[in-house]
Amino acid sequence: MLMEWGIIKEKIHCFVRDSGSNMIRAMKLGDLPDVSCTVQIAQTELHKIQKEQLNQECLSVKQDCSTRWNSSFHMLERMIKIQDSLCLYACKHNISQLSPEEWLQLKKIVTILQPFEEITRNMSDNNASISSVIPLIHTLKYTLQTEASKQDTNEKFNSIIKCTVDQLNSKFGDLQTNNFFAIATYLDPRYKTKFFNEVVKENIETEIMSLFDAVADTSKNEADNIGAPVEKRARMELKAEASHSNVQTVLSNILLSSDSDEDDDDTTSGRYAVFDKFVVMKGMLNEYNKEKRISISDDPLLWWKVNGNTKFQPLQSIARQYLPCPPGSVASEQLFSGAGLIYDSLRNTLDGDKASKLLFIKYNTLLLESILI
């Protein structure tokens, strides 16, 4: 390569290379002056401390990135995980270290940020529904307020938590008046009315009853299509159930609490012999709310597939319309990123139809792999 570029070997000061064995061997075979990448030297030494002195798994530090979700959390979490090896490295090279109090503060920050990371993952899941947004935001604020009440939470952290909760209220405070979110949450058998007061509940039920006529004509034709493919979703739900997060545990406890006030209304139980549409629909909603909520790990669309063909058929069509909506655009962003990988320097003139087919195959291959796993 040197000959090809007309570089005289004697004029080379040094090669700065990585720590790959092929690069090290190339320098030796070429009898070339070389130095290893300083960053990788530090990383190699850190791994050596972890492996030889602490008998730990070799882990590197992570960097914060302003365009990557939760990267500050992942950076601090990793620092805490490799704290011992970082301190040994800093001591060996006379680098100033964090005090014990500062390490405790970092751990507190990680504790505060952890629910955000978990909820981001939950909402980014391929099977996530917009119906979970209101419950998860409620759970997030609950965990923050619980953290604020702990004895080890000083005034500075209380101020951070208060500011964070205020921002959550500002950004998500109107979700209960947004029908896309509110109706989806109401019709999710995992949540129902748990996160609504009586006024909001009445407003949602009024809106649902106004939708009844619009969907009544299509309910029979579409009854069998809900949640397809349900079997695939059920398998993926089982996989998710095996790794319950702290946020999901808190949410489950919230849903299990204070159910008695939701089981008192027996006024219209089983009484559909009235021809007034309003009364019939109101009675159906009351019957739906009397049904016990399903587990947080169960599939709401599978529940509607089973129960919607019997006593709640008109509601099933409305559930089909509102529940499949995802809480974010993560899936489409992933497809967009995938398209960027397809159009490389060697395929920059690729026809759009062919690119779409390649992307379709790639996406469905990944989906199939996730199902098989």
Side-chain angles (χ1 to χ4, degrees):
M1 192 189 307
L2 294 174
M3 293 175 60
E4 180 183 349
W5 285 90
I7 299 175
I8 301 174
K9 182 178 177 180
E10 288 71 20
K11 289 189 175 182
I12 295 173
H13 176 63
C14 75
F15 276 91
V16 180
R17 55 163 176 78
D18 61 24
S19 299
S21 58
N22 59 332
M23 296 303 299
I24 295 174
R25 182 168 173 77
M27 297 301 108
K28 288 183 178 179
L29 290 175
D31 191 25
L32 298 167
D34 64 301
V35 294
S36 182
C37 171
T38 306
V39 178
Q40 290 192 325
I41 291 175
Q43 179 174 284
T44 301
E45 187 173 347
L46 183 66
H47 289 173
K48 187 176 180 180
I49 292 172
Q50 293 168 344
K51 185 176 181 179
E52 298 180 2
Q53 294 184 238
L54 300 174
N55 193 27
Q56 295 177 346
E57 178 186 3
C58 293
L59 297 173
S60 304
V61 295
K62 291 185 177 181
Q63 294 189 6
D64 190 12
C65 177
S66 60
T67 59
R68 184 172 297 170
W69 291 347
N70 299 308
S71 64
S72 298
F73 166 79
H74 291 299
M75 177 188 67
L76 297 176
E77 184 187 44
R78 175 57 59 85
M79 281 184 62
I80 292 170
K81 192 169 186 177
I82 61 174
Q83 175 182 350
D84 293 340
S85 57
L86 287 175
C87 290
L88 287 174
Y89 181 90
C91 182
K92 180 178 178 180
H93 294 277
N94 296 320
I95 300 173
S96 60
Q97 300 187 44
L98 297 176
S99 67
E101 178 63 26
E102 288 172 327
W103 279 109
L104 288 175
Q105 290 179 355
L106 285 183
K107 291 178 181 178
K108 188 68 173 179
I109 293 172
V110 168
T111 302
I112 294 172
L113 293 179
Q114 186 168 7
F116 288 90
E117 195 275 340
E118 292 182 18
I119 288 177
T120 301
R121 280 190 286 108
N122 288 333
M123 290 190 181
S124 301
D125 188 85
N126 286 334
N127 286 327
S129 169
I130 198 172
S131 63
S132 293
V133 176
I134 290 175
L136 286 175
I137 295 299
H138 177 94
T139 304
L140 178 57
K141 291 192 288 187
Y142 176 85
T143 55
L144 289 172
Q145 289 163 352
T146 300
E147 194 65 35
S149 64
K150 292 182 179 179
Q151 290 183 348
D152 64 339
T153 304
N154 59 32
E155 185 177 344
K156 182 183 297 183
F157 285 115
N158 266 319
S159 177
I160 293 173
I161 292 173
K162 182 181 182 303
C163 179
T164 304
V165 171
D166 288 342
Q167 290 182 17
L168 286 172
N169 289 331
S170 174
K171 186 173 182 62
F172 301 106
D174 62 344
L175 291 185
Q176 295 199 358
T177 60
N178 186 315
N179 288 329
F180 291 115
F181 294 91
I183 293 177
T185 304
Y186 182 99
L187 292 177
D188 191 321
R190 298 173 297 177
Y191 310 127
K192 298 187 177 181
T193 62
K194 182 65 182 179
F195 300 97
F196 303 125
N197 59 38
E198 196 61 31
V199 174
V200 174
K201 173 190 169 185
E202 289 295 327
N203 290 337
I204 295 171
E205 290 179 347
T206 300
E207 189 64 30
I208 290 175
M209 285 187 284
S210 71
L211 295 170
F212 176 64
D213 289 333
V215 300
D217 295 336
T218 59
S219 60
K220 290 185 179 181
N221 296 330
E222 300 176 344
D224 294 331
N225 296 326
I226 184 170
V230 171
E231 292 76 11
K232 181 269 292 186
R233 289 179 57 87
R235 285 196 293 271
M236 296 186 78
E237 289 290 344
L238 287 174
K239 185 173 73 173
E241 185 177 4
S243 57
H244 247 358
S245 65
N246 292 332
V247 167
Q248 292 287 348
T249 301
V250 173
L251 178 55
S252 296
N253 291 335
I254 292 174
L255 290 168
L256 289 172
S257 65
S258 305
D259 278 347
S260 58
D261 59 331
E262 300 172 18
D263 299 328
D264 297 335
D265 190 359
D266 293 330
T267 56
T268 57
S269 177
R271 298 177 184 175
Y272 291 164
V274 183
F275 291 100
D276 186 278
K277 282 186 178 181
F278 177 86
V279 176
V280 171
M281 199 61 187
K282 183 66 175 178
M284 190 181 298
L285 291 173
N286 287 338
E287 284 292 326
Y288 164 72
N289 285 318
K290 284 177 58 183
E291 292 270 340
K292 184 175 178 62
R293 284 193 300 267
I294 62 176
S295 169
I296 190 67
S297 60
D298 289 339
D299 187 343
L301 291 176
L302 179 59
W303 186 91
W304 278 108
K305 182 177 177 65
V306 173
N307 293 274
N309 289 331
T310 54
K311 47 190 173 182
F312 302 126
Q313 187 170 351
L315 283 175
Q316 185 197 60
S317 294
I318 302 175
R320 286 189 72 249
Q321 180 180 347
Y322 279 83
L323 286 178
C325 180
S329 60
V330 174
S332 58
E333 292 291 342
Q334 289 173 340
L335 283 174
F336 185 79
S337 299
L341 296 175
I342 289 175
Y343 280 99
D344 57 23
S345 58
L346 299 178
R347 291 190 291 193
N348 55 11
T349 60
L350 186 66
D351 179 76
D353 290 337
K354 290 183 179 179
S356 297
K357 291 175 182 177
L358 287 172
L359 191 60
F360 178 81
I361 293 171
K362 179 180 179 181
Y363 176 78
N364 282 279
T365 300
L366 293 173
L367 187 61
L368 180 61
E369 288 175 354
S370 69
I371 295 171
L372 294 176
I373 291 171

